[in-house]
Amino acid sequence: YEKELRLLRKAIKEKTAICCDNEKEGEFSYHDRYIVPVKLEYSFIGDRYWVCVYEPVQKRYFKMRLDTMSNIRMTEKICREAFDGYAEYQKKHSKKVILEVERTRHVIERCFRIFSYYDRQAVYDEKEKKYLLEIQYFSQDEKELIRDIMSLGSSVVVLEPQEIQQEVYRRILLAKSNYNAE
């Protein structure tokens, strides 16, 4: 993706809109989509790049996978307002979850790898012999975040917020009921 990344980086730096196709077979197909890239992200988990974009027609921000984008080309349109609005969007849609993580080496390493996509901070609690991991995420990433938390099993406990605790608990009960069914 060297060529595409260079072009997207230039568009972001110059605050310029791009035009592209965005297709995933059987799911969506957009051609000549006019968008404004505002941020590039890389996820180690899926080994893929994401592009945070603003779509002026729908007046909303969302993420696109670079591997579904094609025919990317620069436009002449400068869109500073998309960048100004993105800071406000981040503030409005940013959430925080706090996890208690057991001090098991493989769990801690896995935790940092899984949550590498997010802004996070870890503090070691000497008294409890556990890590507290604070993760900042966007509301649209909540389902994926919960899935990642659950993949760590009993080595991780959600301390805050209560809504995430309840959703994890609900999913555990649902999974348990599937094993009890005959």
Side-chain angles (χ1 to χ4, degrees), residues 10-177:
K10 181 178 179 184
I12 292 169
K13 185 177 179 183
E14 296 177 6
K15 298 180 181 349
T16 306
I18 63 168
C19 194
C20 70
D21 299 336
N22 189 22
E23 296 182 84
K24 187 172 182 188
E25 193 175 321
E27 290 189 36
F28 53 84
S29 179
Y30 300 97
H31 296 281
D32 293 324
R33 191 172 203 175
Y34 168 79
I35 54 174
V36 183
V38 293
K39 185 178 179 185
L40 283 171
E41 296 179 351
Y42 176 75
S43 172
F44 286 105
I45 300 302
D47 187 28
R48 72 175 40 114
Y49 287 94
W50 293 86
V51 185
C52 299
V53 301
Y54 176 73
E55 187 177 57
V57 175
Q58 297 180 23
K59 296 183 179 170
R60 70 182 187 105
Y61 294 91
F62 60 94
K63 290 183 183 178
M64 297 171 66
R65 287 178 26 192
L66 182 57
D67 62 331
T68 64
M69 297 170 69
S70 62
N71 196 21
I72 304 170
R73 55 214 180 273
M74 297 278 289
T75 69
E76 303 275 324
K77 176 112 169 99
I78 305 293
C79 299
R80 284 180 175 74
E81 67 278 358
F83 289 83
D84 298 339
Y86 189 62
E88 191 61 36
Y89 171 82
Q90 286 180 303
K91 230 185 273 182
K92 184 177 178 183
H93 294 279
S94 182
K95 293 181 163 189
K96 176 173 68 172
V97 65
I98 300 175
L99 306 176
E100 183 181 80
V101 183
E102 284 183 7
R103 192 183 141 193
T104 309
R105 184 172 173 84
H106 74 279
V107 173
I108 293 165
E109 288 173 359
R110 192 161 166 244
C111 229
F112 276 90
R113 191 175 66 251
I114 287 173
F115 300 119
S116 65
Y117 174 67
Y118 305 98
D119 289 332
R120 67 213 181 288
Q121 275 192 316
V123 176
Y124 183 64
D125 185 339
E126 186 68 43
K127 182 180 168 195
E128 295 292 324
K129 304 280 189 228
K130 294 185 181 193
Y131 283 90
L132 294 179
L133 182 60
E134 185 176 297
I135 302 168
Q136 295 286 340
Y137 67 97
F138 290 117
S139 50
Q140 72 261 21
D141 297 328
E142 194 164 278
K143 288 180 182 176
E144 183 180 350
L145 177 80
I146 292 170
R147 186 197 71 218
D148 292 340
I149 291 169
M150 293 192 66
S151 75
L152 294 163
S154 61
S155 300
V156 173
V157 175
V158 177
L159 300 179
E160 291 179 28
Q162 189 175 10
E163 302 83 47
I164 302 286
Q165 284 178 332
Q166 290 170 344
E167 179 59 20
V168 168
Y169 183 68
R170 185 191 70 76
R171 290 185 188 193
I172 290 170
L173 290 179
L174 183 63
K176 182 178 181 267
S177 71

